[in-house]
């Protein structure tokens, strides 16, 4: 094979195939073969008496649909055509793997020519079976009309073209059913040698299952400027269910310096001739990013002893080693001996948390009154760090260590009482948005930001805003009461970053305090191996990886003292891989992976632990020394598996890649089984983020001083790209420009941004501003001058503020002045996206009921990150059939909003779900209450009473996992339908029935026990719930009730008091626990909230609303405007719980409104005029 073979040469090569060695030329066939050779379109150089010529002639005769006379020739032709398409497909695959563009297209064309029995020179419409040959021949005579122009012709034009007017409509339909894609691309340079292309594909044909089956496969090729070399290849399919969607592909291709004039993107149909789209990518105006500075050289220094370096016994105890490693030694002075901002970028396993400890110890010495905050991008990192530091610093800091929860009031109280604070990026963002009013934040002296390389990931925009804000706060250098503040020290920790110098400059790090070490200088050596697989189908590729995974374990970790962690794309694959490993090991070596010898004392104990695992398949593989984890598994099972792994009984642990940040254990060998996972929302497989890959690799570099190994199994086209990213420092770009709306909105509410210029100044503090001039094409800029940057910023700010103004979150006048509006304030207060508030405001009406509010809630943007996994659509459809509120037939089950709605209804119906769906449901429930509270505020701003009460009821349903029409007794733990029926059938001596929680409490013990029939533990749960169920006394008083004047403010004083047992003294601990909600179906701890509402039920008008968190007793005042017309009005006060059903209260209030004194108003106006 050669890259530039012609059709003649390709057919000659085809005829040499081993499949045709037994074909011979019979004497009686020579004459007919000679005649056929004259008829076929491609010349045959060999004599017809040669077998190769016979194969060539018969293949061309088959494609040309020529008739044969001899039966033997017919039989030979049938055999040849059966093999032809398969052999041409094989040659196509070979050409792809050798990156030969011309030959790949030629072999694909020949494969399709054999399949459809047409030549490329014939009309593409011959591929449709219902086109008469005479019509096709007439079209072929019109060679002056290009095929691409046929789509622009009308049915009458086509009918006139072939001379058969009736065929016009049919031909028009067929032309528009011919597969065709509209292609557009956006270039984003990543480095000087790597280019990302965002390819958008839209089907430009009518999808017909009868013609196209259920999917159409296309090949995406990126070719060099000469069209000879394939730089990138990927398969892409359009399915009937997503034919109208816009499909986005991210391609990463290499580039050379100097840049070539252009690349070509070619989209080829796998089954259709002439179905080809070509898009030239010009590099005429492309600006490659500047070269990155070299990494920090690791100096050959003598390792610093911990004891003599710190010179403080209490500090020395914090470090479990005697000497600092080379990276810690080199950065020790800047962290522990100075107060300068520091950035340390080093590979995983370099001991960066120990560097964070050095910064904390420095601040403890120099600023004992300060507070030290550790901020992590992910909740899992924060949890892991809190557990580690809680034990480490408890003595040194007198247990003044807290982890924030996300509840603003509670978090501010925790910060006031703590020295060391662990927070996530969103939590710290929420607190610092109002930094001017929250004086406690001015006492923070040290901020540590971990995993800064995630700036380029989904958490990046918020992380960037938080760091920029803290830099701004530090630069103001003014605290409360205008007193000078000591500047906040920033310490950044990250993996190796290519553009670390710019990150350091943005964070205010001096050059001597910046350490950016190469990924190759790991203190613990890590060997990385790549193994690529050519299978284009994802499932086939995973099957092909199964045995190599076992071989990799056997080869790289033969000793059972060398534990292994295997990351797989999904929970199902984790289970399958664990079973495969157990089976291979038992069949080939007659042994298992158990790392403890049967003769040892602990073996039987560990075996007993295995048998306590409730997941049957997990129990089975665990006894063979293999374990697997998955999202949503039982806590007891997870604890047992991790315990057995740490004890060495389980030596191979398999878990989905999504758990890489939650995995607390390390290994000698890490295997990444595929670098892709299925994204149900986009309906395709997408790559892991580089941050996740680095995290997985980092699990292998911390086992012991001997080092670790990592084996990465990947798709062949992505091998070079992954090598470049993982072997070299990671380039980071900002994505803040895509997420500015919500951050702008919060700053508008706090008055940091009051006009367009303030918004531009705000951006200049960000990392985005520093990257605009360094890599302009990545941000859709065409130049690097100040004018280009200024215009780009102005356009960006105007677009963002225009969107916010359109959604009524802020007002924007012609002079560029900005002011917050109510919707923006609600979004900022509840930390929800502006698109959600816009959706709520545009969807809620005065007649909206619970079902409507539930659908609005399910479409909130906060749930857009809920994954739809491979195969979940079928599960969701099954659940949807059992829901109380049926979904319309047009509902798309691959969308996150549909999944959210189904999981919420499943929660209210208390449906049994899979562990992964339960984990997703827990995420939805935690976020739902915040969105519902925002919905209540939006409705109250429109003064609608009934929708507001419906939203409050929805909040109760979410917490208790019940429909509002279910019996309220169902809230009590262990109350089944049978128990509830017994309770409802029972009548007391007074003839009253059991209808509320309080009725259960008032029953005699023997009657209660007879009705419930529960054991002691279950009765204890019932008692806890009933004792926590709120009994609230509410009193109210209308201030100056006799002097209520139309159109003036009316005040209503309300006192809420919780009923407690008079016999028992309430301790401070019990007071702090008051209001804790009892619910078996809400996934986290929650405090009761109460809405006090004043409304007119007759007019559906909400006059006043307040929300309170009640401990023992609380007084509040509600103000509202009296009606404009005098008269008697019957208002209602509602006391609505946000957590329990059945404890709401309502009271009637009669208000007599007198007419206003018009004369006094006239006197006032005359005085004003004077």
């Amino acid at each position: 094979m050669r890259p530039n073979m012609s059709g003649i040469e390709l057919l000659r090569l085809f005829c040499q195939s081993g499949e045709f060695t037994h074909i011979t030329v019979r004497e009686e066939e020579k004459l007919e073969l000679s005649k056929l050779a004259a008829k076929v379109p491609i010349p045959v150089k060999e004599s017809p008496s040669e077998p190769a010529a016979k194969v060539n002639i018969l293949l061309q005769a088959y494609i040309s649909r020529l008739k044969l006379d001899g039966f033997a020739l017919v039989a030979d032709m049938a055999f040849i055509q059966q093999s032809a398409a398969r052999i041409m497909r094989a040659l196509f695959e070979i050409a792809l793997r050798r990156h030969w563009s011309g030959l790949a297209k030629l072999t694909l064309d020949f494969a399709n020519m054999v399949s459809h029995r047409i030549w490329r020179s014939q009309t593409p419409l011959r591929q449709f079976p219902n086109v008469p040959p005479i019509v096709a021949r007439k079209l072929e005579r019109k060679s002056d009309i290009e095929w691409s122009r046929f789509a622009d012709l009308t049915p009458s034009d086509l009918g006139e073209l072939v001379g058969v007017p009736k065929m016009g409509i049919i031909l028009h339909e067929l032309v528009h059913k011919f597969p065709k894609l509209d292609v557009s691309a956006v270039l984003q340079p990543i480095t000087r040698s790597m280019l990302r292309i965002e390819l958008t594909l839209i089907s430009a044909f009518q999808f017909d299952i009868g013609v196209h089956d259920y999917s159409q496969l296309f090949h995406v090729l990126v070719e060099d400027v000469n069209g000879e070399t394939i730089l990138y290849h990927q398969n892409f399919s359009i399915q009937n269910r997503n034919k109208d969607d816009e499909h986005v592909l991210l391609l990463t291709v290499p580039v050379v310096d100097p840049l070539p004039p252009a690349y070509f993107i070619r989209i080829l149909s796998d089954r259709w001739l002439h179905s080809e789209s070509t898009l030239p990518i010009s590099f005429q105006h492309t600006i490659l990013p500047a070269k990155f500075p070299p990494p920090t050289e690791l100096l050959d220094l003598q390792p610093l002893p911990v004891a003599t370096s710190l010179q403080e016994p209490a500090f020395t105890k914090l470090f479990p080693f005697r000497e600092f490693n080379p990276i810690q030694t080199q950065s020790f002075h800047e962290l522990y001996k100075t107060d300068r901002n520091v950035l340390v970028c080093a590979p995983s396993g370099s001991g960066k948390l120990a560097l964070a400890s050095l910064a904390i110890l420095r601040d403890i010495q120099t600023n004992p009154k300060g507070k030290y905050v550790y901020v992590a991008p992910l909740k899992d990192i924060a949890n892991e760090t809190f557990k580690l530091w809680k034990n480490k610093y408890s003595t040194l800091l007198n247990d003044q260590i807290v982890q924030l929860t996300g509840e603003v009031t509670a978090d501010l109280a925790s910060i006031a009482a703590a020295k060391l604070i662990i927070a996530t990026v969103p939590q710290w963002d929420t607190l610092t948005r109002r930094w001017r009013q929250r004086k406690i934040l001015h006492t923070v002296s040290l901020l540590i930001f971990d995993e800064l390389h995630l700036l380029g990931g989904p958490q990046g925009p918020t992380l960037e805003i938080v760091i920029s804000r803290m830099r701004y706060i530090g630069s103001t250098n003014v605290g409360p009461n205008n007193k000078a503040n000591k500047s906040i020290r920033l310490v950044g920790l990250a993996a190796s970053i290519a553009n670390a110098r710019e990150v350091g400059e943005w964070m205010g790090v001096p050059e001597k305090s910046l350490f950016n070490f190469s990924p190759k200088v790991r203190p613990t050596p890590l060997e990385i191996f790549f193994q690529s697989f050519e299978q284009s189908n994802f499932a086939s590729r995973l099957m092909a990886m199964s045995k190599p995974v076992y071989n990799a374990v056997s080869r790289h970790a033969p000793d059972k003292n060398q534990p292994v962690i295997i990351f797989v794309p999904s929970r199902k694959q984790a289970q399958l891989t664990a079973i495969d490993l157990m089976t291979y090991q038992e069949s080939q070596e007659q042994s298992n992976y158990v790392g403890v010898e049967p003769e040892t004392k602990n073996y039987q104990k560990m075996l007993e632990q295995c048998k306590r695992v409730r997941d049957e398949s997990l129990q089975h593989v665990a006894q063979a020394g293999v374990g697997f984890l998955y999202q949503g598994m039982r806590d007891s099972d997870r604890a047992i598996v991790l315990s057995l792994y740490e004890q060495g009984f389980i030596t191979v642990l398999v878990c989905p890649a999504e758990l890489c940040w939650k995995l607390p254990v390390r290994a000698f060998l890490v295997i990444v089984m595929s670098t892709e996972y299925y994204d149900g929302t986009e309906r395709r497989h997408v790559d892991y983020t580089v941050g996740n890959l680095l995290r997985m690799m980092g699990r292998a570099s911390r086992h012991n001083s001997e080092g670790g190994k990592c084996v990465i199994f990947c798709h062949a086209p992505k091998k070079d790209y992954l090598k470049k990213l993982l072997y070299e420092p990671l380039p980071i770009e900002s994505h803040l420009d895509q997420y500015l709306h919500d951050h702008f909105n919060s700053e508008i509410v706090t008055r940091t941004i009051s006009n367009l210029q303030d918004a531009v100044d705000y951006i200049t503090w960000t990392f985005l501003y520093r990257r605009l001039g360094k890599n302009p094409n990545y941000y859709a800029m065409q130049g690097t001058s100040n004018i280009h940057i200024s215009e780009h910023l102005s356009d960006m700010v105007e677009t963002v503020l225009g969107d916010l103004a359109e959604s009524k979150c802020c007002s924007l006048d012609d002079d560029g002045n900005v002011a917050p509006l109510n919707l923006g304030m609600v979004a900022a207060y509840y930390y929800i996206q502006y698109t959600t508030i816009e959706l709520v405001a545009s969807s809620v009406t005065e007649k909206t009921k619970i079902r409507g509010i539930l659908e609005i809630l399910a479409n909130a943007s906060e749930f857009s990150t809920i994954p739809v996994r491979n195969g979940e659509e079928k599960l969701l459809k099954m659940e949807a059939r059992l829901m109380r509120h049926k979904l319309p037939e047009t509902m798309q089950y691959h969308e996150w909003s549909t999944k959210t709605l189904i999981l919420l209804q499943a929660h209210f119906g208390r449906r049994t779900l899979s562990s992964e769906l339960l984990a997703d449901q827990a995420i939805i429930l935690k976020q739902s209450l915040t969105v519902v509270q925002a919905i209540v505020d939006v409705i109250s701003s429109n003064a609608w009473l009934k929708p507001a009460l419906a939203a409050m009821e929805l909040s109760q349903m979410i917490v208790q996992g019940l429909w509002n029409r279910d019996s309220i007794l169902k809230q009590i733990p262990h109350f089944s339908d049978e128990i509830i029926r017994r309770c409802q059938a029972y009548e007391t001596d007074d003839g009253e029935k059991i209808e509320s929680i309080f009725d259960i409490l008032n029953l005699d013990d023997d009657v209660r026990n007879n009705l419930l029939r529960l054991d002691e533990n279950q009765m204890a749960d019932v008692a806890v719930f009933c004792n926590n169920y709120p009994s609230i006394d509410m009193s109210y008083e209308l201030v100056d009730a006799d002097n209520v004047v139309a159109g003036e403010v009316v005040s209503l004083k309300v006192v809420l008091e919780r009923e407690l047992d008079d016999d028992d003294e309430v301790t401070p601990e019990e007071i702090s626990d008051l209001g804790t909600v009892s619910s078996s179906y809400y996934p986290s701890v929650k405090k009761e909230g109460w809405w006090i509402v004043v409304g007119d039920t007759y007019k559906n008008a909400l006059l006043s609303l307040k929300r309170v968190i009640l401990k023992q007793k609380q007084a509040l005042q509600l103000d509202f405007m009296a009606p404009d017309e005098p008269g008697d009005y019957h208002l209602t006060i509602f006391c609505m719980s946000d957590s329990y059903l059945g404890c709401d209260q309502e009271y009637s209030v009669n208000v007599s409104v007198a007419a206003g004194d018009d004369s006094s108003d006239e006197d006032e106006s005359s005085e004003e005029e004077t």
Side-chain angles (χ1 to χ4, degrees), residues 289 293 519 527 879:
E527 293 182 73
E879 282 296 327

Side-chain angles (χ1 to χ4, degrees), residues 2 84 227 269 300 465 523 526 534 704 729 796 977 981-982 1116:
R2 298 192 311 277
S269 172
D300 187 13
I465 284 294
L526 177 65
E534 298 286 353
N704 53 37
M796 186 192 308
D977 292 337
R981 280 194 295 271
R982 286 202 298 266
L1116 59 148

Side-chain angles (χ1 to χ4, degrees), residues 864-896:
S864 60
T865 56
I866 298 297
V868 180
R869 300 175 186 87
N870 199 6
E872 273 189 354
E873 290 182 44
K874 293 181 181 178
L875 291 175
L876 295 174
K877 284 181 181 178
M878 292 171 61
E879 282 296 327
R881 295 193 193 106
L882 304 171
M883 293 194 324
R884 177 171 295 188
H885 298 313
K886 302 300 181 185
L887 300 181
E889 294 293 331
T890 56
M891 189 65 80
Q892 298 293 323
Y893 288 90
H894 67 278
E895 294 181 353
W896 53 265

Side-chain angles (χ1 to χ4, degrees), residues 183-189 195-201 246-252 265 279 281 684 735 738 778:
V183 190
S184 60
V186 177
L187 297 185
Q188 289 185 313
L195 185 71
R196 177 186 293 156
I197 302 175
E198 185 179 297
L199 200 63
T200 303
L201 305 171
E246 186 179 273
H247 306 273
V248 178
L249 298 182
L250 292 177
L251 321 179
T252 306
I265 298 177
L279 179 68
I281 303 292
R684 64 186 180 94
H735 298 111
Q738 303 168 32
Y778 190 90

Side-chain angles (χ1 to χ4, degrees), residues 244-456:
D244 298 324
D245 297 347
E246 186 179 273
H247 306 273
V248 178
L249 298 182
L250 292 177
L251 321 179
T252 306
V253 297
V255 289
V256 293
D257 198 2
L259 276 172
Y263 280 170
F264 292 94
I265 298 177
R266 208 175 298 275
I267 316 292
L268 304 175
S269 172
D270 186 62
R271 298 292 175 185
W272 293 76
L273 275 172
H274 293 281
S275 177
E276 178 179 327
S277 302
T278 304
L279 179 68
I281 303 292
S282 173
F283 294 140
Q284 183 179 359
H285 300 292
T286 301
I287 304 172
L288 293 178
K291 288 185 178 180
F292 298 121
T296 304
E297 182 183 355
L298 184 63
L299 304 177
D300 187 13
L301 301 174
Q302 185 72 26
L304 285 175
V306 174
T308 56
S309 303
L310 299 177
Q311 297 178 348
E312 186 72 45
F315 292 177
T316 305
K317 292 177 183 177
L318 301 177
F319 299 92
F321 44 81
R322 295 184 177 181
E323 292 181 341
F324 291 111
N325 67 37
I327 288 176
Q328 293 166 345
T329 298
Q330 190 165 335
S331 53
F332 176 85
H333 181 269
E334 289 298 317
L335 284 160
Y336 191 69
K337 298 294 185 181
T338 73
D339 291 322
R340 290 190 284 266
N341 293 351
V342 180
L343 174 62
V344 181
C345 305
S348 301
S350 301
K352 293 193 285 289
L353 268 185
L355 299 179
S357 295
L358 290 177
I360 293 171
L361 297 179
R362 167 70 181 180
D363 231 53
I364 290 175
Q365 286 181 323
T366 60
N367 193 7
K369 293 184 179 180
K371 297 184 184 294
Y372 330 117
V373 182
Y374 171 90
V375 181
L378 298 171
K379 180 76 171 176
D380 300 320
I381 303 174
N383 291 342
E384 187 178 344
T385 306
F386 179 70
K387 288 178 184 176
L388 178 66
W389 284 0
K390 182 71 174 174
N391 297 326
K392 181 182 287 190
Y393 287 102
S394 57
T395 304
L396 187 64
L397 296 177
N398 298 321
D399 286 328
Q400 294 178 319
I401 308 166
V402 296
Q403 183 178 8
L404 302 188
T405 61
E407 291 286 338
V408 175
T409 306
D411 285 346
L412 288 172
S414 298
I415 292 173
K419 295 289 289 181
L420 179 56
I421 298 108
I422 313 294
T424 62
V425 170
Q427 291 167 353
W428 196 246
D429 182 29
T430 306
L431 289 175
T432 56
R433 283 182 171 184
R434 300 178 62 191
W435 59 273
R436 289 186 176 87
Q437 291 79 24
R438 291 168 179 161
K439 298 180 181 180
I440 192 66
L441 298 179
H442 294 274
T443 61
V444 173
S445 56
L446 172 66
L447 267 165
I448 300 169
F449 292 96
D450 201 0
E451 306 292 348
L452 270 181
H453 55 274
L454 295 181
L455 268 171

Side-chain angles (χ1 to χ4, degrees), residues 890-1106:
T890 56
M891 189 65 80
Q892 298 293 323
Y893 288 90
H894 67 278
E895 294 181 353
W896 53 265
S897 55
T898 305
K899 179 175 180 177
T900 302
L901 181 58
I902 291 172
L903 291 184
L904 283 170
Q905 293 208 46
H907 173 65
F908 303 145
R910 297 187 174 180
R911 299 277 308 155
T912 302
L913 301 172
S914 68
S915 58
E916 289 177 319
L917 289 179
L918 281 174
D920 294 336
Q921 189 184 64
I923 296 171
I924 291 169
L925 295 177
K926 290 177 186 177
Q927 187 66 45
S928 291
L929 288 183
T930 305
V931 179
V932 169
Q933 290 170 17
I935 292 174
V936 170
D937 282 9
V938 172
I939 295 173
S940 67
S941 65
N942 289 310
W944 295 326
L945 179 62
K946 291 178 182 177
L949 297 177
M952 295 171 192
E953 280 191 63
L954 179 59
S955 176
Q956 300 169 2
M957 292 160 53
I958 290 170
V959 176
Q960 294 299 332
L962 282 177
W963 289 103
N964 59 327
R965 295 182 182 177
D966 290 340
S967 169
I968 61 173
L969 298 180
K970 209 169 183 179
Q971 298 174 96
I972 305 176
H974 314 297
F975 265 51
S976 61
D977 292 337
E978 183 181 349
I979 293 176
I980 293 172
R981 280 194 295 271
R982 286 202 298 266
C983 292
Q984 291 173 340
Y986 176 81
E987 287 188 6
T988 63
D989 296 337
D990 301 331
E992 296 181 358
K993 291 194 172 185
I994 299 174
E995 296 178 345
S996 70
I997 310 294
F998 302 111
D999 294 337
I1000 297 288
L1001 285 170
N1002 294 331
L1003 291 173
D1004 294 336
D1005 290 347
D1006 55 343
V1007 175
R1008 187 188 304 117
N1009 292 337
N1010 182 51
L1011 287 174
L1012 305 189
R1013 301 170 193 173
L1014 300 173
D1015 60 36
E1016 290 185 7
N1017 293 332
Q1018 291 173 329
M1019 286 298 290
D1021 293 338
V1022 171
V1024 168
F1025 178 87
C1026 293
N1027 290 332
N1028 286 340
Y1029 192 76
S1031 176
I1032 307 297
D1033 281 340
M1034 183 175 124
S1035 59
Y1036 60 91
E1037 178 189 359
L1038 197 64
V1039 178
D1040 202 7
D1042 297 331
N1043 296 314
V1044 177
V1045 179
E1048 294 190 359
V1049 176
V1050 181
S1051 296
L1052 181 71
K1053 289 185 177 180
V1054 177
V1055 178
L1056 301 177
E1057 186 171 4
R1058 187 186 301 272
E1059 288 188 6
L1060 300 173
D1061 291 337
D1062 298 332
D1063 302 335
D1064 301 330
E1065 290 187 7
V1066 183
T1067 63
E1069 291 78 11
E1070 289 175 330
I1071 292 176
S1072 65
D1073 290 339
L1074 283 176
T1076 302
V1077 176
S1078 289
S1079 174
S1080 308
Y1081 292 88
Y1082 191 70
S1084 63
V1085 178
K1086 184 187 180 305
K1087 293 290 186 181
E1088 295 172 14
W1090 296 86
W1091 282 290
I1092 311 302
V1093 184
V1094 179
D1096 187 335
T1097 54
Y1098 179 74
K1099 295 182 178 179
N1100 187 25
L1102 190 152
L1103 303 178
S1104 183
L1105 178 144
K1106 277 194 176 180

